[in-house]
Amino acid sequence: MSFGDPNNPYGQQQGQQPGGQQPGYGYPQQAPQGVPQQGYGYPQAPPVQAGYGGFPGIPTEMPGGVKSARVMLYVIAGLQLIGAIIFAIAAAAVNAAKNDASLQEDVQFQELADYSGNALWGIVAFAVLWGVLAVFLAVKFGSGGNGIRITAMVFGVITAILGIYPFIVVGLVHTVLAILVVVFVAKSDGGSWFNRQQQPQY
């Protein structure tokens, strides 16, 4: 059987690949190895930025300033816990002094002890609740919306004011941390983070 006769309809044509498949009929020719392949008539599109739903410009990772504000909220909560313990010890000491037999007859001291003890226990309760609020806000930074942002700013302003008065010396650290929380959350990247499109919960 001759393969060299170009007029033989039953012979293998020149340039025909083994197996009977001819290039160019519905099958693209493979490019040589090492040569990048490109599509037919359509240039490659640039990669889409990662985001919720594939939309560009939406932050997918918490900005550094928001992360810092979150850490500062945890620090404020820790300081609130320490303050609550200190004021609880002071309230217990006042209560113990009030029950001292030698001071039972002193009416003025008893009135002062009652007032001081109640005030100290009130401060303890407020410190605990304020610390719980700080932890709640810090936890919600990952999934919360603009409401959490506004609440965090209000929390920071009130904490800064309380740090200035009446707890001037003790609250100085609170004041600095609270102001930084407000600044970091109020920045543009903080606004973008809290106003981002939330992923649907299933």
Side-chain angles (χ1 to χ4, degrees), residues 49-61 192-193 195-198:
Q49 296 181 7
Y52 295 116
F55 296 103
I58 299 175
T60 57
E61 183 179 354
S192 299
W193 171 254
N195 289 314
R196 73 195 185 283
Q197 182 180 358
Q198 300 292 330

Side-chain angles (χ1 to χ4, degrees), residues 3-178:
F3 293 98
D5 188 1
N7 297 322
N8 185 356
Y10 300 103
Q12 184 176 3
Q13 301 296 324
Q14 293 181 357
Q16 184 177 0
Q17 297 178 355
Q21 293 181 354
Q22 295 182 358
Y25 295 98
Y27 297 97
Q29 296 183 7
Q30 294 183 355
Q33 293 183 358
V35 178
Q37 298 183 4
Q38 295 183 356
Y40 293 95
Y42 295 99
Q44 292 185 352
V48 179
Q49 296 181 7
Y52 295 116
F55 296 103
I58 299 175
T60 57
E61 183 179 354
M62 188 181 297
V66 179
K67 288 181 180 178
S68 299
R70 187 184 209 180
V71 172
M72 291 173 189
L73 284 173
Y74 283 124
V75 173
I76 289 175
L79 293 175
Q80 292 294 119
L81 179 60
I82 294 173
I85 293 173
I86 292 174
F87 283 110
I89 293 173
V94 169
N95 192 38
K98 175 182 162 182
N99 295 329
D100 191 352
S102 61
L103 298 173
Q104 291 287 338
E105 303 296 328
D106 193 339
V107 178
Q108 291 182 346
F109 175 79
Q110 291 296 325
E111 291 178 355
L112 180 62
D114 287 336
Y115 175 79
S116 300
N118 292 334
L120 289 172
W121 285 118
I123 293 174
V124 169
F126 176 78
V128 171
L129 292 176
W130 206 245
V132 170
L133 179 58
V135 172
F136 171 79
L137 291 173
V139 170
K140 284 293 185 179
F141 266 33
S143 60
N146 197 46
I148 295 296
R149 180 186 183 219
I150 295 173
T151 306
M153 288 191 289
V154 173
F155 174 88
V157 170
I158 295 175
T159 303
I161 294 173
L162 292 176
I164 296 173
Y165 180 83
F167 310 108
I168 298 175
V169 178
V170 179
L172 184 59
V173 178
H174 280 77
T175 300
V176 174
L177 292 175

